[in-house]
Amino acid sequence: LGDYAGGSLYLVVGILAALHHARENGAGQVVDAAIVDGTAHLSAMIHGMLSAGGWQDRRGANLLDGGCPFYGTYETADGRYMAVGALEPQFYAEFMRLLGIPDLAPARDDPSRWPELRAAVAARFKSGTRDEWTAVFAGSDACAAPVLSLREAPHHPHLAARGTFTDHDGIPQPAPAPRFSATPTAVRTGPALPGADTEAVVRDWGLAPDWVPPPASRPDPAVHNPQ
């Protein structure tokens, strides 16, 4: 959230905006992108809710911070988890119906009953495995889905259909994003090995053409490419 979202992504957006400005006006500028600034800006919605009286300034007492029983994760009978995000009334109604406790639906609008509702939801999820509950909610608008491991995620039907993950040299990894219609992206090479490109860089920089890196800086094929 800090390094990638509040930091690097805000910096990239800032650089692109500055380049656009320079193209239009012929003048450059300094882009000041601090991690704390970007991360604070990402929480603008929460600060707005706080100012409007829709957010309590304490942990575990709000819609999106674990305080709400219909927005969180629940353990299943096999020790795995299901994620629930049924905030809107129509999604919540479908969630409660498929979960099998529609009689407790009115507790949604009464925070004093949230502990009761949370206990009931937790008990229901503990009555079946993650895969069993996944089948129950499949194809519905209940906003309930399985919590997948890093190794499971690439095989999820939706992610597989979109090609959200790719495999390069036997290493599964997220595919490049976002996607472009005119200039499609792809993973074309594997990660660089320490020292593998030193000689090419030396030549590119016009340094001594006969310079050879010391043995310690050369990649060891036996280490980096085990058979």
Side-chain angles (χ1 to χ4, degrees), residues 66-225:
C68 173
F70 41 93
Y71 193 90
T73 58
Y74 289 91
E75 186 176 5
T76 55
D78 54 350
R80 296 178 176 179
Y81 289 84
M82 291 290 292
V84 179
L87 291 178
E88 290 79 359
Q90 67 273 25
F91 302 144
Y92 172 79
E94 180 73 349
F95 167 68
M96 295 295 284
R97 183 184 70 82
L98 292 175
L99 194 62
I101 50 174
D103 55 308
L104 283 176
R108 173 185 183 274
D109 300 319
D110 183 359
S112 68
R113 296 186 62 190
W114 280 6
E116 172 193 3
L117 180 57
R118 184 187 303 280
V121 172
R124 284 295 295 152
F125 273 121
K126 287 289 284 185
S127 69
T129 66
R130 186 195 67 177
D131 291 346
E132 289 172 341
W133 283 116
T134 298
V136 169
F137 292 111
S140 74
D141 285 333
C143 296
V147 176
L148 303 176
S149 70
L150 292 176
R151 295 191 185 280
E152 289 176 316
H155 304 289
H156 186 276
H158 179 72
L159 301 183
R162 278 194 55 79
T164 301
F165 290 84
T166 187
D167 188 295
H168 186 82
D169 289 342
I171 303 175
Q173 56 196 284
R179 306 178 188 189
F180 301 92
S181 59
T183 55
T185 56
V187 178
R188 297 182 176 86
T189 63
L193 302 178
D197 303 305
T198 303
E199 294 181 55
V201 171
V202 168
R203 289 194 300 270
D204 183 60
W205 288 356
L207 301 179
D210 57 349
W211 180 86
V212 177
S217 68
R218 301 174 189 172
D220 184 349
V223 174
H224 295 288
N225 298 288

